Amino acid sequence: MQETPAFGAPAAVPGELPSREAATLPTSGMTALGAIDHARVPEGGTVFVIGATGGVGTFVVQAAAARGIRVIARASARLAEQVRGLGATEIVVPGTQPFGQALRGLAPEGVDAVLDLVGDRSLIGGVAGAVRDGGALISTAFGLDEQVLADERIRTMNYRLDRKPASPQARKPASPQARKPASPYGSPSSPGWSRRAPSGR
């Protein structure tokens, strides 16, 4: 028996895990990994996660920490220890101080990325200024408006997982005319996709 299942192989759902919850895991996990990949935070860098206690957020915190990224997470005081257990090193509790101010205190030189998993646009304006020049502000909940997307100082994106890796059996070489570049994490041609990169970068 293989210790690691082959790519695309079916996996049994653990008996103690409800099927409805199990069905959300692949999409939540892949969305988290895709957002982290697009953020391009280096090992030793810093990311601020808005929505760290949600389905995607819990994956983001764990995956980022596993890559050696310092994770600052927004979470309630009640869930702070739980999020620390996932890998967050610092917690910003809502209501204690403005998020931008809190981030500048924790990362005076700016964070490498902010990942918004909630979509609350009232929070975005306050944290955008805490992203270092050339850093990333990415929302999986389409929380970035046109003004934020037009910010040329940082890389901005409303991110959606549109495409999933095909199994090896489903992969067939495309003809040169039909072959187009594709990302397993999203498609720039998909409706609702928005991305703005700083000029000259």
Side-chain angles (χ1 to χ4, degrees), residues 83-101:
V83 178
R84 282 195 180 93
L86 295 175
T89 54
E90 289 97 2
I91 305 295
V92 176
V93 178
T96 54
Q97 61 180 317
F99 290 124
Q101 180 181 335

Side-chain angles (χ1 to χ4, degrees), residues 15-191:
E16 67 276 11
L17 183 65
S19 297
R20 186 172 297 180
E21 293 180 14
T24 68
L25 297 181
T27 298
S28 295
M30 290 174 64
T31 299
L33 292 175
I36 293 172
D37 286 347
H38 280 295
R40 301 203 299 268
V41 179
E43 183 177 356
T46 302
V47 63
F48 177 52
V49 182
I50 302 174
T53 59
V56 175
T58 53
F59 277 104
V60 166
V61 173
Q62 294 176 83
R67 295 185 182 191
I69 297 170
R70 174 193 178 197
V71 178
I72 303 173
R74 175 182 183 263
S76 67
R78 180 175 63 87
L79 297 175
E81 287 308 311
Q82 176 182 326
V83 178
R84 282 195 180 93
L86 295 175
T89 54
E90 289 97 2
I91 305 295
V92 176
V93 178
T96 54
Q97 61 180 317
F99 290 124
Q101 180 181 335
L103 286 181
R104 282 186 283 272
L106 294 170
E109 297 182 0
V111 297
D112 293 282
V114 171
L115 298 184
D116 164 50
L117 316 174
V118 175
D120 185 346
R121 294 189 174 184
S122 66
L123 302 176
I124 300 300
V127 300
V131 179
R132 66 166 180 80
D133 290 355
L137 174 55
I138 297 175
S139 177
T140 63
F142 280 67
L144 308 190
D145 59 22
E146 290 301 319
Q147 181 177 353
V148 175
L149 290 169
D151 189 341
E152 295 188 351
R153 185 183 65 84
I154 58 178
R155 293 177 290 112
T156 58
M157 176 189 297
N158 280 321
Y159 173 81
R160 180 176 65 196
L161 177 69
D162 282 335
R163 297 185 182 181
K164 302 173 184 178
S167 66
Q169 292 81 3
R171 294 175 181 170
K172 296 181 179 180
S175 65
Q177 294 81 8
R179 189 175 293 120
K180 297 180 180 179
S183 164
Y185 302 119
S187 170
S189 63
S190 302

